[in-house]
């Protein structure tokens, strides 16, 4: 396997991990806002209990992602930095606002409601803007002139495909977070909150699937080359869609572990993660070798091979140290009965 392919695999791995973790994190903030005035369900308490230890961990992956781009594909980083200067600045501003207001909402109790609303709204806007990076890399919205690349904002925000991506990002954010919070509520023995989030998952699942179909329906108008390549892996795409059946079983089937309780949300969380992994593999494979179509490829933007090997070894050592820590953190977070069943 070529060094450039290994490097882009590492980069795409960071993208996938951050996408899954961040959607659950952003969605939890939104649900905390939505159910803030329904204290009897304790749905907001569950969402805040999830947010408290996880949003700091999630942010470490976006740092790793940016560092990976600059260290592995420096030429692409320059071009991406140029065309993403406006949307990227807005995303960074929203991330800073959300992080700040999340902290202040737990300190300034008298301003908790407005701070929670701001963090919840920004949390649902961020994934919609982040996913715009994908259609931008398809090349249709990038103009080249005077030796520089420029983003055509008018074409970008009048594209039906871009809005399909945005709709998919928002619905996925709410869907994945509702599944995880349903699982978390069940583990916490908060059955009213569990029923609320399970219901949300049942509503948002079909909407998310519809948005995925809308992306594929509008994609040929913007990136025929990418659509044709994805269709070459149609069996994998159908397999990805097939995992919705498993998600449905997790949402509707009776629990084998708790008599009289419907739903196995942990099964749905695992199934949806595998589904997104398959779909992202098909998309990423079809996108190769382009980082930004048609001028920036993984080979033209790749760093010096010696630098790559040094960075690669650093990543291996770093993950060997950090990954067991993340696993231990997650096991404590999902299994510590004192934390799961605290009242606040």
């Amino acid at each position: 396997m070529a060094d450039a392919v290994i490097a882009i695999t590492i980069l795409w791995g960071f993208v996938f991990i951050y996408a899954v973790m961040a959607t659950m994190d952003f969605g939890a903030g939104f649900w905390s806002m939505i159910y803030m005035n329904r204290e009897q369900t304790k749905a907001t308490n569950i969402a805040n209990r999830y947010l408290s230890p996880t949003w700091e961990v999630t942010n470490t992956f976006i740092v790793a992602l940016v560092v990976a781009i600059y260290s592995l594909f420096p030429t692409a980083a320059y071009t991406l930095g140029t065309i993403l200067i406006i949307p990227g600045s807005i995303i960074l501003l929203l991330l800073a606002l959300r992080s700040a207001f999340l902290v202040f909402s737990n300190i300034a109790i008298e301003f908790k409601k407005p701070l929670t609303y701001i963090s919840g709204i920004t949390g649902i806007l961020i994934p919609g803007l982040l996913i715009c990076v994908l259609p931008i890399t398809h090349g249709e919205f990038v103009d080249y002139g005077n030796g520089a690349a420029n983003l055509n904002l008018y074409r970008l925000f009048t594209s039906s495909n871009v809005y399909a991506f945005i709709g998919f990002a928002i619905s996925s954010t709410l869907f994945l977070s509702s599944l995880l919070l349903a699982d978390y509520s069940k583990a916490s023995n908060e059955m009213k909150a569990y029923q609320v989030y399970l219901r949300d998952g049942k509503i948002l699942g079909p909407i998310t699937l519809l948005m995925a179909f809308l992306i594929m329906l509008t994609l040929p108008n913007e990136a025929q080359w990418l659509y044709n390549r994805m269709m070459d892996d149609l069996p994998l795409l159908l397999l990805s869609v097939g995992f919705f059946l498993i998600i449905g079983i997790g949402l509707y089937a009776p629990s084998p572990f708790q008599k009289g309780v419907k739903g196995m949300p942990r099964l749905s969380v695992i199934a949806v993660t595998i589904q997104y992994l398959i779909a992202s593999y098909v998309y990423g494979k079809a996108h190769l070798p382009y980082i930004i179509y048609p001028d920036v490829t993984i080979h033209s933007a790749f760093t010096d091979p010696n630098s790559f090997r040094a960075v690669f070894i650093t990543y291996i050592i770093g993950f060997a140290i950090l990954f067991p820590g993340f696993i231990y953190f997650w096991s404590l977070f999902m299994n510590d009965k004192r934390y799961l069943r605290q009242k606040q």
Side-chain angles (χ1 to χ4, degrees):
M1 185 182 291
D3 287 347
V5 177
I6 297 174
I8 199 65
T9 302
I10 294 171
L11 185 60
W12 196 249
F14 283 142
V15 171
F16 178 77
I17 293 171
Y18 179 72
V20 173
M21 291 187 66
T23 51
M24 293 176 177
D25 179 45
F26 293 139
F30 183 80
W31 292 125
S32 174
M33 177 191 73
I34 291 295
Y35 294 120
M36 185 166 49
N37 296 319
R38 294 174 58 181
E39 296 180 3
Q40 68 276 13
T41 67
K42 296 187 179 179
T44 290
N45 288 345
I46 289 293
N48 287 336
R49 208 181 298 166
Y50 172 80
L51 278 169
S52 180
T54 57
W55 68 275
E56 300 97 332
V57 176
T58 302
N59 285 337
T60 61
F61 282 95
I62 197 168
V63 175
L65 176 59
V66 173
V67 171
I69 293 173
Y70 274 89
S71 60
L72 299 175
F73 299 98
T75 305
Y78 173 78
T79 306
L80 284 170
T82 302
I83 63 178
L84 295 178
I85 186 66
I86 294 177
S89 298
I90 296 172
I91 290 168
L92 286 175
L93 176 62
L94 291 175
L95 280 169
L97 280 173
R98 179 176 184 266
S99 297
F101 283 109
L102 269 177
V103 173
F104 292 143
S105 66
N106 292 314
I107 298 173
I109 304 300
E110 63 273 22
F111 300 110
K112 186 176 181 67
K113 285 191 176 182
L115 293 175
T116 301
Y117 276 114
I118 293 172
S119 62
I121 293 170
T122 54
I124 207 64
L125 292 175
I126 291 169
L129 287 171
L130 278 172
I131 205 169
C132 289
V133 175
L134 296 183
I136 287 172
T137 64
H138 299 169
E140 180 68 21
F141 313 110
V142 181
D143 297 326
Y144 293 90
N146 300 321
N150 297 287
L151 180 63
N152 190 314
L153 291 172
Y154 174 78
R155 286 209 306 270
L156 179 69
F157 289 110
T158 55
S159 165
S160 57
N161 186 239
V162 169
Y163 286 107
F165 269 101
I166 292 173
F168 177 74
I170 293 173
S171 62
S172 291
T173 296
L174 299 178
F175 180 47
L176 267 69
S177 59
S178 64
L179 292 179
L180 186 71
L181 290 173
D183 182 35
Y184 193 56
S185 300
K186 193 175 183 182
S188 302
N189 202 30
E190 297 286 358
M191 300 313 292
K192 287 185 178 179
Y194 169 68
Q195 294 299 331
V196 167
Y197 287 124
L198 193 70
R199 179 205 62 199
D200 292 334
K202 291 176 181 178
I203 295 171
L204 289 161
I207 295 174
T208 303
L209 184 60
L210 174 63
M211 289 299 170
F213 280 123
L214 285 177
I215 288 176
M216 296 306 296
L217 186 65
T218 57
L219 187 60
N221 298 328
E222 310 291 350
Q224 184 69 52
W225 64 274
L226 183 62
Y227 177 82
N228 291 339
R229 291 180 174 201
M230 291 183 72
M231 286 299 100
D232 290 339
D233 285 314
L234 183 59
L236 284 177
L237 286 175
L238 294 176
L239 177 63
S240 174
V241 174
F243 268 90
F244 253 96
L245 296 175
I246 301 176
I247 296 170
I249 292 172
L251 288 172
Y252 288 96
S255 172
F257 307 108
Q258 289 179 275
K259 196 171 183 180
V261 176
K262 284 191 175 181
M264 294 177 284
R266 189 159 300 183
L267 174 64
S268 295
V269 170
I270 295 171
V272 77
T273 303
I274 296 173
Q275 180 200 24
Y276 278 49
L277 180 62
I278 295 171
S280 67
Y281 168 78
V282 173
Y283 175 86
K285 179 185 174 186
H287 209 291
L288 288 176
Y290 306 106
I291 296 177
I292 304 171
Y293 183 85
D295 295 310
V296 182
T297 68
I298 60 173
H299 302 291
S300 66
F302 189 53
T303 188
D304 176 73
N306 293 324
S307 298
F308 163 72
R309 292 185 182 96
V311 171
F312 185 56
I313 292 171
T314 303
Y315 277 133
I316 291 176
I317 296 172
F319 266 93
I321 296 171
L322 292 176
F323 194 70
F326 283 126
I327 296 296
Y328 182 63
F329 162 79
W330 190 257
S331 65
L332 285 177
F333 174 61
M334 292 300 291
N335 295 312
D336 189 328
K337 300 301 182 183
R338 291 174 299 176
Y339 184 76
L340 286 171
R341 309 217 171 148
Q342 60 181 296
K343 298 300 180 184
Q344 301 180 8

